[in-house]
Amino acid sequence: MFRLQGSKVLAVEMTGDSVHAKNGSMVAYDGEMAFKKLSGGGEGLRGMVTRRLTGEQMTLMEVKGRGTCWFADRASEINLVSLRGDKLYVESSNLLATDAGLRTGTTFTGLRGASQGNGLFTTTVEGHGQAALISDGPAVVLRVSPQYPLSVDPGAYVAHQGNLRQTLQSGVTFRTFLGEGGGEAFQMRFEGDGLVYVQPSERNTIAGDV
């Protein structure tokens, strides 16, 4: 259903089914398509209230029809993730599209309020199907195992999945080692067994130069 056309355009073949995609990300389509804006990140009124309270922002649209629809977002790189009943944790700004059968929600992380000022919640995607993530540059997928925990710059973090525990380490950042740090700084640490998606570019944060 999902396929990449190049590295920056997502093509979705539809036969009467639907997908949820970032609002405004459709760049072309053929056949017959209907578009509807979704409230609360596709979770209805409850989702809208939850996201407003948590500060987690995500505006989606539902695309339904027959034909092919193409999606892109500011020439960002696109990464496909297949879910088989597991859960994906992702920054809402990095989520481009999901199968309509996948469920989105919000979950408490205890991280981002300190590191990015966006509340203590992040977006979750779970179920069976495909999700398309966007990143500023080609994303790298890093394996975390019990023997090899992973530390990530919050500005480069995109998503993670698997049986992982995440904590926040304050007072240190990668740029601190280079003498370029300024203000309070943090790292995200992952322990357990799973995958972490990292982009080769850092989004702006309010925790200093992280």
Side-chain angles (χ1 to χ4, degrees), residues 63-119:
V63 183
K64 185 175 183 178
R66 296 179 180 274
T68 303
C69 197
W70 289 269
F71 301 93
D73 185 54
R74 303 176 197 175
S76 299
E77 298 284 334
I78 301 175
N79 313 270
L80 297 183
V81 179
S82 295
L83 297 178
R84 298 175 178 86
D86 49 332
K87 183 181 290 187
L88 176 73
Y89 300 81
V90 57
E91 290 286 329
S92 60
S93 60
N94 292 102
L95 183 61
L96 177 65
T98 66
D99 285 348
L102 291 174
R103 302 181 301 278
T104 58
T106 54
T107 189
F108 179 76
T109 64
L111 292 177
R112 295 170 59 225
S115 64
Q116 292 176 244
N118 292 331

Side-chain angles (χ1 to χ4, degrees), residues 55-176:
E56 178 71 2
Q57 301 296 321
M58 183 170 65
T59 304
L60 295 180
M61 61 181 177
E62 180 185 62
V63 183
K64 185 175 183 178
R66 296 179 180 274
T68 303
C69 197
W70 289 269
F71 301 93
D73 185 54
R74 303 176 197 175
S76 299
E77 298 284 334
I78 301 175
N79 313 270
L80 297 183
V81 179
S82 295
L83 297 178
R84 298 175 178 86
D86 49 332
K87 183 181 290 187
L88 176 73
Y89 300 81
V90 57
E91 290 286 329
S92 60
S93 60
N94 292 102
L95 183 61
L96 177 65
T98 66
D99 285 348
L102 291 174
R103 302 181 301 278
T104 58
T106 54
T107 189
F108 179 76
T109 64
L111 292 177
R112 295 170 59 225
S115 64
Q116 292 176 244
N118 292 331
L120 298 174
F121 293 77
T122 195
T123 293
T124 60
V125 182
E126 59 184 316
H128 294 266
Q130 286 185 295
L133 309 182
I134 53 176
S135 58
D136 187 4
V140 176
V141 185
L142 303 176
R143 164 68 67 176
V144 180
S145 67
Q147 296 81 14
Y148 297 99
L150 180 71
S151 295
V152 176
D153 190 307
Y157 168 79
V158 173
H160 74 272
Q161 65 185 130
N163 186 22
L164 293 176
R165 182 173 66 91
Q166 57 190 75
T167 56
L168 184 68
Q169 296 177 326
S170 62
V172 63
T173 185
F174 297 103
R175 289 188 181 180
T176 300

